[in-house]
Amino acid sequence: MAMSSVMGLGCALQRLAVVPKASVSMVESSLSSSGFGAQLSDATTLGSHVRRRRRSSVTSAKSSGGGRSHLQLLQSEFVPLMGIRRKIFSGASVTTVRGRSSVVGVVRSMVSSDPEQLRGAREEIKKVLAEKFCHPILIRLGWHDAGTYDKSVAEWPRRGGANGSLRFSIELDHAANAGLIGAIKLLESVKEKFPNISYADLFQLASATAIEDAGGPQIPMRYGRRDTSGPEECINEGNLPSAGPPSPASHLRQVFYRMGLNDQDIVALSGAHTLGRSRPERSGWGKPVTKYTKDGPGAPGGQSWTREWLRFDNSYFRDIKEKRDQELLVLPTDAVLFEDPGFKQFAEKYAVDEATFFKDYAESHAKLSELGSEFSPPEGIYIDKKPSTAEKFVSST
């Protein structure tokens, strides 16, 4: 029976008749920088990324076409993160027939999120940020879960987007997602404490909270995103941007237009590079250390885009425009914002008007966070003041 069949939906998850065991070796990766790019790294006290070694000692009904059961196949792809082993470790629903266990379907980990738990999780995320200085990588986590969206595909979850699929190793192993295992590990304790939150919501909540905690604008977030149920629902590799393409402007437009975003969104979202730093040994970009990164916080080293790389402001645009400080990083996809006429009109404005940048960034971030999402209830869940009809930001679908 196909793994993708769904036996149960919702927060009331069926207790498994058989609890699979697995041994997974994971070491937190060095933290990566905010936003899209070529695996731009921002290390904290966590160690280097070690490839996950997946082992399974599960005995269950064999699939008709091969020697491995559906449960074993699913285990081989699922990264058992965030303490969900108690409920849906394998993501599979198991029934017992004549004393034998067989996998008959896949349970969706969460249909909707609990508003009070979302509020509690936000406060817990703030504690993690205060301890780990991990704002850049949590922003990147939310962006990369959403940034696979393709507006030309109508069906969920085939269209990609913010659906929690980044928790599965098949997508987490994409080259553009290098280091994001560290971000997920940072949220493990939050998920354990607040289990009635979908992964899709948790990733976007962490991203928005990191922006706000770093001094950025409050983002009008909508929650209630449904999660994908298994690795077979992940998007193929190749939808995320790179930092140094041959034609930066064309590349950025190709990627962001595919998601239904526009030139203003591209420039505003690029402004999140005011946070974070890049490490050449991991991304191929930047200097090993600068006067702005030699003392951390977190593990020292790397090259930042701005002097105060844990403060959200409009200095990214000012510094790129001036090009006076060789200690600061400027990627091809950064420089093009002041070279391409369509981008330059916004970059010039943001360099001198921080209030406008904050307003536009909040709108673009909200749009990005909803790309491809399926909400339950359809109108979503708001844990702050619900935007009015005039204020509400609607993403392209």
Side-chain angles (χ1 to χ4, degrees):
M1 188 170 294
M3 285 196 297
S4 60
S5 60
V6 178
M7 186 173 181
L9 298 175
C11 299
L13 300 174
Q14 177 181 353
R15 184 177 295 277
L16 300 183
V18 175
V19 180
K21 297 179 180 179
S23 173
V24 179
S25 175
M26 293 187 296
V27 178
E28 298 103 321
S29 84
S30 295
L31 301 183
S32 300
S33 81
S34 62
F36 295 118
Q39 309 106 51
L40 306 173
S41 302
D42 179 16
T44 64
T45 57
L46 302 180
S48 300
H49 178 215
V50 176
R51 286 283 180 182
R52 293 166 299 285
R53 292 179 291 123
R54 293 169 286 205
R55 303 172 182 171
S56 176
S57 58
V58 178
T59 301
S60 60
K62 302 295 183 181
S63 60
S64 58
R68 301 178 70 193
S69 69
H70 292 306
L71 181 56
Q72 288 171 315
L73 286 167
L74 189 57
Q75 272 193 295
S76 71
E77 295 298 332
F78 184 72
V79 182
L81 301 171
M82 300 185 179
I84 61 165
R85 301 160 182 82
R86 300 186 303 275
K87 290 187 177 181
I88 51 166
F89 177 85
S90 68
S93 172
V94 182
T95 59
T96 302
V97 180
R98 295 179 182 177
R100 300 181 64 187
S101 298
S102 62
V103 178
V104 296
V106 175
V107 178
R108 295 192 184 276
S109 60
M110 191 67 61
V111 171
S112 187
S113 298
D114 178 83
E116 289 305 314
Q117 292 216 0
L118 284 165
R119 293 186 183 96
R122 179 168 58 185
E123 297 307 309
E124 200 69 19
I125 289 168
K126 290 179 182 178
K127 295 177 184 178
V128 175
L129 292 168
E131 179 183 353
K132 300 292 186 180
F133 306 104
C134 54
H135 303 69
I137 198 173
L138 293 188
I139 297 166
R140 182 170 170 242
L141 177 67
W143 281 35
H144 281 218
D145 195 47
T148 60
Y149 176 62
D150 187 339
K151 68 177 183 179
S152 69
V153 179
E155 181 185 351
W156 183 93
R158 285 186 56 248
R159 62 192 183 214
N163 56 31
S165 61
L166 193 48
R167 75 192 190 275
F168 293 107
S169 65
I170 191 172
E171 186 168 331
L172 197 59
D173 285 343
H174 291 177
N177 294 328
L180 285 178
I181 182 65
I184 294 178
K185 287 291 290 180
L186 285 168
L187 295 177
E188 186 176 60
S189 61
V190 180
K191 180 64 175 175
E192 289 177 344
K193 191 169 183 179
F194 302 97
N196 294 333
I197 299 175
S198 67
Y199 291 100
D201 275 353
L202 180 62
F203 296 165
Q204 298 308 321
L205 175 67
S207 183
T209 303
I211 290 289
E212 295 170 15
D213 190 74
Q218 183 176 11
I219 299 167
M221 297 292 291
R222 177 166 63 131
Y223 298 99
R225 296 168 185 81
R226 288 177 58 188
D227 280 334
T228 52
S229 60
E232 73 282 359
E233 294 181 334
C234 291
I235 294 296
N236 292 333
E237 188 167 4
N239 278 13
L240 295 172
S242 61
S247 177
S250 297
H251 175 71
L252 288 173
R253 288 193 172 99
Q254 179 183 2
V255 171
F256 284 86
Y257 285 11
R258 187 205 68 231
M259 294 187 278
L261 301 177
N262 56 37
D263 284 0
Q264 179 175 311
D265 295 316
I266 292 172
V267 180
L269 290 170
S270 295
H273 274 145
T274 188
L275 302 174
R277 48 189 172 167
S278 173
R279 293 180 181 274
E281 68 272 20
R282 300 189 184 106
S283 69
W285 296 95
K287 297 179 179 180
V289 67
T290 71
K291 63 183 179 182
Y292 302 120
T293 65
K294 63 185 179 67
D295 297 320
Q303 186 176 17
S304 59
W305 285 265
T306 61
R307 296 168 181 81
E308 296 183 71
W309 48 270
L310 285 177
R311 176 183 176 182
F312 193 96
D313 56 21
N314 68 336
S315 60
Y316 166 80
F317 298 104
R318 297 198 309 270
D319 291 334
I320 292 176
K321 182 178 180 179
E322 293 171 0
K323 295 182 180 179
R324 295 177 181 174
D325 194 336
Q326 298 302 311
E327 293 283 278
L328 299 178
L329 179 64
V330 180
L331 297 170
T333 46
D334 300 318
V336 77
L337 301 182
F338 282 92
E339 297 167 355
D340 179 270
F343 295 151
K344 185 177 181 180
Q345 60 177 319
F346 300 108
E348 291 278 5
K349 179 170 58 176
Y350 297 155
V352 297
D353 189 345
E354 185 174 80
T356 297
F357 166 54
F358 273 33
K359 176 182 177 296
D360 290 351
Y361 179 85
E363 179 176 350
S364 295
H365 188 122
K367 288 165 63 176
L368 176 69
S369 77
E370 296 185 10
L371 294 179
S373 296
E374 185 167 292
F375 289 88
S376 176
E379 66 274 16
I381 298 168
Y382 294 89
I383 60 176
D384 297 308
K385 176 182 174 289
K386 182 178 179 179
S388 67
T389 303
E391 296 173 325
K392 187 175 179 181
F393 304 127
V394 180
S395 64
S396 301
T397 54

